[in-house]
């Protein structure tokens, strides 16, 4: 991929006037409240992984609609005292996989909750285990256009709510310090982390990498890759539904959640990323915390990478940054 | 595509010992009965198409679970007397589209009911309008692995039942002769027509073209194209679920429905078809009506075509054949 | 395909100074006159289609050089009184196919003449039946560079003339009202419709969809897809023939025909169309009728579609518009 | 390309029962005689190439129908005495290019006539200059299906006749020894060389490399690449014309010409060649001279090459072999 | 990828008569001895990873020619007593990456040495750090044809020797039990593990996954993917070097090393793997330990996977198996 | 490829401020001097080609480090008196091939030395014969990132020096006029010719076609094709090495060599070339001779070609231009 988006200097000041629905906050406050009304907390079951230095629990917690959502909670085997925690959301199509696949943060002394993404986890890797019990109208294969005609029905309304409930859940786990919880994720996981940071007011830190689910209009205009391209393909068929679709997406845009975030934010972006184009990331990064004052943010730039971004190179700076903020 | 499957001479005698579950008939009898218990009949609303020679109704009828399923019913504008009817099912990803897109059979004097496929209709053409209100566990994008761990949950359990209920519905329409109803379809639509022919004992005629949903094991072995390939991709992730998946698919195999068919069958097959390989079609064709005696069957072979098969060339022989059997 | 051409606001005012040869009108007047000198009219033979509501004739009429050109003429079976007619030209590589494939306009009460494209009709669908008895110099596989070194020899000189003669022919058919004839077509068919509208001064209406054969220089500059790319591929070999080629194409450009059109024009354009880029369509649309005054024009925009454009969605607005103009 | 055709041991004995039309010899004798009746001989014009060691003439000679066919004739600048000659035919889509592009055989002391292929020469390289003034019915883009419904109309009837007339022409050139003329060519050029060897009884030598235009039925069955695939694509549209097409091709098959050849034959074949599959080459090679006795033949095998075959590695063995046979 | 290789039942008994050079053992004994003569042992430097449960050392040890080879050695932070060790070799093009990327085996109580592959580590992931100071003759881009004209010069002579010296190195590390060392690796890493198991007589266990570098002749015949395809591409150019190349590869074939292995072997294979086709894996697996008696071997089969094979699903069975054998 | 780079009018004035290292001249003066210190001259051996008009010698001369570099020297068989000479460098991946493949310049009366490129010649054509005995650190497959962390180690330091030594060598050949030596080449060969023209002050003429190895930063930004893309791929893995890599490349940029050239320059450029984008060629062309005065330069533009550029069409203008300058 050659450089196809704005030059870095323009990205750094790229800001967008978001056309946000008037009832954005009402919509989300109601959604989260309704989910919490289902009650319940995380259920943990220790997994026999064969590991001696890390313990992993199989976690089930109530998400949107009280639906059971799965996750792994990995922790150092010999830790004592309440641990800071990191909730991680996953990339598009992936699942929580197997318990031994999430060792880095636990080996660094964190409680690490990896949240499955409902209905996903069959498109690579070691899979996922969480159904999405809700159906949808006609949708392009994938998840981005499920329920696209009404924000109340949209798939990511459920997923973002699951993300909030994952934070709720980890805060209830014995041995976790509920005040010291961060969220993170890459690609779709980064987009969920941004949404959760916009919905949970007392998060200290959020670290989205090459986030998806941001500035849909720009994404669709500048790139035709999937999954953003699911919107284009859907609208190329349902030519009469463009207005309804864009209205729905306006309730789900990372730029709107970013404005509301109060957590310190650590972003990463890749300049050759045609899956999550850098202008969509910067539009969100530059809006981070805009609705408050004094919200810290940083961004690491990978000039020669596509959507793989920083990969393993993210671990060390993220660890250092978590150390400062948790 | 070069010739990749068996030579024609071997295809003509290609028969497979199907490993059918013992409760196949019970499963399906229960499924259909349950759907019929929801009751209700077709609701028709005349559409303003601007056409003067053909009238089209927007149809809604109760499918699996009583869920509303959409369709178009096209008829000659000046017909009198009860008409013979053809129920048509659609190809994978497509939808019923627009009312003026289905004129051929109506212009030939038939009542033509085109059934939408639930949840589909966003991957090309003019789209579909029927939601699938049922969610699923993790699935590869598409429809073939939705609910693949249990036949009760599988997507095509619902769709095949919708297909049966479409026949029920058209038989209740004023001006349609309930004794003279055929089913047809291409690709997925052919697969549904085969299932319906296996489930509705008193159908006079069924005309599947290059049918999908037949002999899954062979399909997966000989070709890796989608949508059969969705099974492979799912199992490449969920390595532990192969047995459950194959068990579920054994309730959904065209070969099993074909054995039970009593309708005259008109198949078509394309020898270079890597989407619905000819051996999967012949395995089904050669099983057609095997559980009864005297069931007629014919097959038209397109030696130089891929999955497009006969396309427009199917119309004339199908019309002639319908004339004989309805 | 991401948005690769000008933004819509710029397209709407995109006008081009066409470098038209001085003898453009002489060239074409001579060409059409010569074809008409061959005389002859349409020969019709009723086809046994099995349809009860629509009748179809197999038509042969004299085209360029008096060469026989084939078509289908579909009409309502029970019509009386002279009918308005629509002449339709076809997309690149396609042919008139089979008689039952053209039912929509006839079912709406029109006489519908579908003209075969000489030499084409072997690259998909149900094929064509009209030879092009004229050979050519070396040409890139396809049709756009056949005879490219001299406008007198160019393939589209013959095809556009066939298009004019198709209008002449339908006007001679019993039961057709010669004053109420429109032309239409998609892609190549749209380009032919534009040429015919520029050459036949008394056409009431022309409806080109995503037209090809417009603003070749821009097309070649902004996209490398076939068939426009045939020009580039030819010139990449025949490096010494660029001037001759561009001179020839200047006699064949939709922009020049559009200026001369007096018919009301209904265009459609797709913003992600890399086969017939939107700027080449708008350059032509914005020139429509410019040589006269008071020529009506409208354009429907499909923002999320590629070259498939509006597909079935074109039928209803086109029908309404034809109703106003015929 | 992995090894997709028969193993070498089977290729070496691969023989095919050709279904040859009864009037094959009559058809071709008439065709060649008719071409020769047009009379005329080669016209030569010295080209200013800037070369000091090689002279090149621009040649025009009468081909099929007396149509002018172009070529280059390259010879050593300082030769005296009549020279042996090699007539070379070209690969699909290519043309004679530029005069300095054909120096090897002339630098080795041969008169080297490179024959343009009518209508071709716009699909790469430096192009061709010979029109094909004959049109055709609908054909898939390319040349193999032009005139495919009647052997009298087929494109290769004209080209093979041009090939014979090229031999006639070079034999009339001053300074060429008419008894010492060989034919050669690669891919399509090899197929033409085989045809010419079957039609000119007194040729001493023919050297086809990875020849095209041999055993069409096998080619179409085992590979779907172009240009053999043009047949499949044509028949996938014109489903009703398969018999006519195969009949026409039976007049044009290298296997039939090879049987009649009396020249010594030097073939080359590449085992990974999916353009001209090795079994089609061996079927022809194994038939070489079968209608006579004592016809010599050799074949060089390239086990790790695709259609590029021996490329530059052919020069030295071909030169040595020509030295023996001319 | 459809099933393109032998069916499983045939794979299970697929044995190959290897044409092994007479001096195979001499060649390798001399090679290893020469490398050991360079002396030296591993140098370790503790890395600041930020991890609390795992410690990682940056390791440099002398490989072939005494050249410095890099690796990471990861161990549990709180272990005491000598640990069993696993040496892991890497896939083609990859490098040792970053220290925190190798936590699983250390978290399970093993010393885990990850060996960089000389010259590799620039084609994805987090990179490698080990130069290959030796040049080569002309080679297809990649590593498989470097030095292919002479076994003494071949790249994998150096790499396999590095692999042996990695075992030597880890056995010298304080806190590692030298008697309890296993080797493992995936793809290229599996191929190296097999070679090392054939060269180090006292290894208790070797676990190659979907190994590369086995039965080159079969690989090249049945698949054209890279990197096996590098051989074909090289030989397609250097047509005269096939014998020399095959002779060189006969010193480097996993089948020959496997025969000599005495370690217990745990293989895995994927039936749709076109990179390392299952027949090449089974040919090696079925030869495992054939030169001795009583050598244990097991193989896990992934029927629906390509070259990704078992991925994360390998961890648990490998851990259990290591527990039995170390 | 559509037009993706600057329009021609902007290219014609496109100039770049090169960030050249201060010790550029010292670095290269030292490099060349060191190579010359190894001494030695060309060794020639007459090849038995079977040609009668051209003689070819197999040449070995000392290159960088005194390493033996191979070439062919082709000359007219009957020439007398000292000949002007042309040294030609080769495209990426290719080798000198076979002796009869280089006849054009010799047939025009020149001594023509074709220099093999060390380590290359296995990726197509007839191959190369020159090893590169120097290894490298981790590099992306190919040659552009070998030794990229230090200019002293970079692969092209060696190749450019070989190029200078080829000129030295041909000047020592009996029968060659040392004052009348030009350099030429296409793609990589053009890049080497530019470097040699910048390093050898008394060359009369240099003719690079569509040159590679120019303005790396622009190339990487505007196109992602290989081989320029090797830089991007390397840096996408070795995220920490960007500065070192760009520093190394600043010693190897055609723009810097072009400034220092004193030879007359004949460039060619193709406007659709995405391998060697036209802006990188023009940036170099516009810098040609800038450090001196009165340096002649010309450029031929191919507006409809990709990287194939002028191909055979280059011969005649190059010959005419050489006639003027040698």
């Amino acid at each position: 991929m050659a450089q196809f988006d704005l030059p870095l200097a323009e990205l750094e000041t790229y800001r967008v006037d978001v056309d946000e629905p008037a009832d954005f906050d009402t919509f989300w406050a109601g959604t989260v409240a309704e989910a919490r009304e289902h009650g319940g907390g995380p259920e943990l079951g220790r997994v026999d992984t064969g590991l001696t230095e890390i313990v992993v629990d199989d976690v089930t917690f109530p998400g949107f609609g009280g639906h059971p959502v799965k996750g792994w909670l990995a922790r150092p085997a010999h830790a004592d005292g309440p641990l800071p925690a990191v909730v991680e959301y996953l990339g598009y199509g992936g699942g929580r996989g197997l318990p031994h696949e999430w060792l880095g943060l636990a080996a660094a002394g964190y409680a690490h909750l990896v949240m499955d993404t409902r209905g996903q986890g069959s498109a690579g890797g070691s899979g996922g285990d969480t159904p999405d019990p809700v159906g949808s109208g006609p949708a392009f294969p994938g998840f981005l256009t499920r329920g696209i005609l009404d924000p109340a029905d949209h798939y990511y309304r459920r997923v973002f709510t699951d993300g909030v409930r994952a934070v709720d859940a980890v805060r209830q786990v014995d041995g976790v310090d509920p005040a010291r919880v961060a969220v993170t994720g890459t690609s779709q996981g980064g987009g969920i982390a941004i949404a959760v940071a916009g919905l949970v007011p007392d998060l200290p830190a959020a670290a989205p990498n090459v986030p998806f689910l941001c500035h849909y209009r720009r994404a669709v205009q500048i790139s035709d890759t999937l999954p953003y391209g699911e919107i284009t393909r859907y609208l190329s068929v349902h030519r009469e539904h463009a207005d309804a679709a864009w209205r729905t997406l306006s309730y789900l845009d990372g730029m709107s959640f970013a404005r509301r975030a109060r957590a310190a934010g650590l972003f990463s972006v890749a300049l050759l990323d045609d899956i999550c184009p850098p202008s969509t990331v910067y539009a969100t990064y530059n809006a981070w915390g805009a609705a408050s004052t004094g919200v810290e943010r940083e961004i690491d730039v990978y000039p020669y990478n596509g959507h793989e971004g920083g990969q393993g190179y993210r671990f060390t700076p993220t660890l250092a940054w978590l150390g400062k903020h948790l």
Side-chain angles (χ1 to χ4, degrees), chain A:
Chain A
M1 181 57 45
Q3 185 187 308
F4 68 104
D5 204 335
L6 303 173
L8 182 55
E10 292 182 37
L11 288 170
E12 288 174 344
T13 59
Y14 181 68
R15 277 186 176 76
V16 176
D17 240 352
V18 186
D19 59 338
E20 218 171 86
D23 64 342
F24 183 94
D25 290 305
T26 319
F27 174 84
W28 278 108
T31 295
V32 169
E34 190 180 303
R36 285 181 174 143
E37 275 163 25
H38 286 277
E43 290 169 26
L44 276 66
R46 187 58 47 97
V47 188
D48 177 10
T49 59
L51 302 175
T52 56
E53 314 302 308
I54 310 277
V55 293
V56 185
D57 290 289
D58 184 345
V59 179
T60 310
F61 67 88
F64 178 92
H67 306 145
V69 177
K70 304 293 291 179
W72 301 122
L73 181 64
R75 285 179 281 182
H78 312 296
D80 43 32
L83 295 170
V86 177
V87 180
E88 179 155 359
Y89 310 109
L90 301 173
Y92 199 75
R96 64 171 184 166
L98 299 171
H100 69 272
E101 295 178 330
W102 306 97
L103 301 183
L105 286 169
Y110 289 86
H112 185 197
L113 176 63
V114 178
M115 181 185 100
D116 228 10
T117 318
R118 56 167 67 210
Q120 299 190 13
S122 298
S126 306
D129 298 304
T130 304
D132 180 13
V134 183
S136 83
F140 187 85
F143 300 88
L144 192 45
T145 64
R146 293 194 183 176
I148 199 167
L149 299 184
D150 189 327
D153 296 340
H154 197 278
Y155 171 78
Y156 280 111
R157 182 182 180 225
R158 302 193 290 279
V159 171
F160 292 169
T161 307
D162 293 346
V164 170
R165 296 292 286 147
V167 172
D168 293 351
V170 83
R171 283 173 161 172
Q172 299 173 50
V173 171
D174 268 356
V176 166
D177 179 347
R180 298 165 67 207
V181 175
V183 292
T184 191
T186 297
S187 193
Q188 174 186 263
I192 302 172
I194 291 167
V196 172
L199 293 171
V200 178
D202 57 348
L203 274 185
N209 294 303
V210 291
F212 177 49
L213 303 167
C214 293
H215 201 348
Y216 301 98
R217 283 191 184 266
R218 169 82 183 171
V220 155
Q221 179 189 29
I222 199 174
S223 175
D224 63 345
T225 55
L226 299 178
Y228 277 125
E230 294 177 16
I231 300 170
T232 311
R233 318 260 171 123
Y234 179 90
L235 293 179
S236 77
V237 172
H238 299 281
R239 293 164 178 85
E240 73 281 21
H241 289 330
D243 288 346
W246 288 119
R247 179 178 171 272
T248 294
L249 292 170
S250 74
Y251 286 84
L252 300 164
D253 198 314
M255 295 189 297
S256 295
F257 293 111
R259 291 189 60 247
R260 289 156 173 84
R262 301 187 192 172
L266 174 64
F267 279 64
S268 68
V269 64
L271 297 190
L272 309 181
D273 185 350
D274 63 338
I275 309 291
C276 295
S279 54
T280 64
V281 176
Y282 264 103
T284 304
Y285 173 70
N286 287 332
W288 189 261
S292 310
T293 55
V295 180
E296 291 181 54
R297 66 176 208 263
E298 299 173 46
I299 189 162
D300 290 331
V301 181
Y302 295 91
Y304 304 103
N305 286 91
H307 191 52
E308 76 282 2
Q311 292 175 308
Y313 279 82
R314 293 306 302 143
F315 187 72
T316 302
T318 303
L319 213 56
W321 179 87
L322 286 171
K324 274 197 302 193
H325 291 279
L326 285 196

